[in-house]
Amino acid sequence: MQARIVMTRAILGLSLLLVLTACGHTENPGPAPLDLATVDWAEAVVPGDLCLTPQPVQLHDGTATVVDEQWGNLIYSLGDRRPTYGDLTGDGQEEAGIDVYCVPEGAGGSAVISRGFLIFDGSSGAYRSIGAITAVHPRAPGLAQPFVESIEIEPGRITAHEKFFAESDPSCCPGNDAVTTWTFDGTSLTHGPAAVG
């Protein structure tokens, strides 16, 4: 008797599955991935760590003012480089690297505190931060901060092309290059040493 009940339930379950399949019913696949090329980054909320604040920062027209105890007002802004795209996570959807910098209000370009790329993923249907790519090469005493000029994104890693200053360089224009490889482990980004040249 027990075996007959189990068999009947199995047959009913299979019949229901066949009916639902025939009617085109499928499980909800969740939200569609966000095409990051459609995001208006000039009005985005971005992580504040690159500009010395742990709080997210709302950009307006590509910029925001952040207050720091040491520096006072800081300008956190999109850089002039277009977003860089590539499939970092290997899921068939492109991630985006957004060029940003942080500078004291009223200061020139040589006073940049930090410049790098914020990395975003859109697989959940909204953009979310994966991490930030910043210069790894050390800053020489008395010289301007090294920065990341460009990146290349590919599955599992990001290659960062850095610029850094020597004493003979004008304050506007670093003449030295370094390359750093960042690896993605599915959760976070970590980097190796900066290779000069």
Side-chain angles (χ1 to χ4, degrees), residues 47-70:
D49 308 69
L50 190 138
C51 204
L52 307 182
T53 177
Q55 303 300 321
V57 174
Q58 171 70 64
L59 299 177
H60 294 290
D61 293 326
T63 189
T65 300
V66 174
V67 179
D68 178 72
E69 289 184 7
Q70 176 185 351

Side-chain angles (χ1 to χ4, degrees), residues 63-87:
T63 189
T65 300
V66 174
V67 179
D68 178 72
E69 289 184 7
Q70 176 185 351
W71 294 93
N73 286 350
L74 297 171
I75 303 302
Y76 192 18
S77 181
L78 295 180
D80 55 8
R81 295 172 183 84
R82 299 173 72 85
T84 299
Y85 299 98
D87 185 8

Side-chain angles (χ1 to χ4, degrees), residues 104-185:
E105 187 174 54
S110 61
V112 168
I113 293 172
S114 184
R115 182 168 193 162
F117 285 78
L118 302 177
I119 310 302
F120 292 94
D121 172 73
S123 61
S124 66
Y127 64 86
R128 69 175 183 87
S129 172
I130 290 179
I133 303 296
T134 55
V136 173
H137 191 278
R139 175 182 184 175
L143 300 181
Q145 183 71 32
F147 61 89
V148 178
E149 183 177 48
S150 64
I151 60 172
E152 298 160 11
I153 303 174
E154 55 191 316
R157 73 177 189 175
I158 295 176
T159 303
H161 299 274
E162 303 179 17
K163 300 293 285 187
F164 66 95
F165 292 84
E167 290 186 7
S168 58
D169 293 331
S171 61
C172 68
C173 311
N176 303 277
D177 299 296
V179 177
T180 303
T181 299
W182 295 68
T183 56
F184 181 64
D185 63 5

